Amino acid sequence: MRAVKAWAVIGVVGVWLIGYFLMGRLDRLLARVRPEAGAAEERPPAPREPDAPLLFCGHDEQARALSNALTGCLPGLQTLHMAELPAHARPRAVIALLPDDADNLLLCVQAMRLRGDCLTIALCGDRTCASLFQKARVVHVLLGACSAQAVLNIIQGGRSACIDGEKA
């Protein structure tokens, strides 16, 4: 009888050890397959990109004047000469002041896909299209001409009267 009890205890302990070993292996497998299901709190937070560029796109006379005025105030401002973002760009802000509303909307949507927290500022020449910009989650829709100071206020976290279509 004692031998049966001893074998029962050895059997229970053996099954427990095998289960413990298999659960550890299963945890490691799940951590590899789904990293967020594993030790998400152990991972350090993703580094912020303080040197991410500010992209400015516009080629008419007013846009060039605005770009020149902003260049002195905003280090890292890059001017684009076409309505397409570079593939490697992860801009922290995009200022789209092209004469075509569709190009401005496209630039903002591309920027938000490349970087979810991108600040987007777009010129909307046709007030009837303003709702499309809002549906696409463009942060600031300019309904008229803006001064460099008004755009600078928007980038620095404020709002501007030119969002309502007035010059600031």
Side-chain angles (χ1 to χ4, degrees), residues 13-143:
V13 170
V15 168
W16 180 80
L17 286 174
I18 290 172
Y20 185 78
F21 173 75
L22 290 177
M23 288 305 291
R25 301 253 334 200
L26 184 61
D27 286 342
R28 285 193 299 273
L29 174 70
L30 288 176
R32 261 187 280 144
V33 174
R34 293 183 309 162
E36 72 277 357
E41 56 273 358
E42 295 174 12
R43 257 187 268 145
R48 292 193 53 103
E49 298 178 45
D51 58 341
L54 296 162
L55 299 179
F56 182 93
C57 189
H59 49 70
D60 64 350
E61 197 59 41
Q62 181 184 4
R64 269 189 246 127
L66 187 59
S67 173
N68 291 338
L70 289 173
T71 301
C73 302
L74 297 171
L77 183 70
Q78 298 175 7
T79 303
L80 300 176
H81 299 290
M82 62 181 129
E84 189 173 332
L85 293 177
H88 65 281
R90 286 182 40 85
R92 65 178 176 190
V94 170
I95 307 165
L97 301 179
L98 293 166
D100 186 18
D101 291 344
D103 288 340
N104 291 335
L105 185 60
L106 178 66
L107 275 172
C108 292
V109 169
Q110 283 178 340
M112 288 186 289
R113 282 191 178 157
L114 292 172
R115 182 176 175 152
D117 64 343
C118 180
L119 173 67
T120 51
I121 303 169
L123 176 65
C124 179
D126 185 3
R127 286 182 179 270
T128 59
C129 293
S131 63
L132 293 174
F133 285 84
Q134 292 168 346
K135 286 179 185 175
R137 295 188 182 116
V138 175
V139 178
H140 296 284
V141 180
L142 308 176
L143 298 175

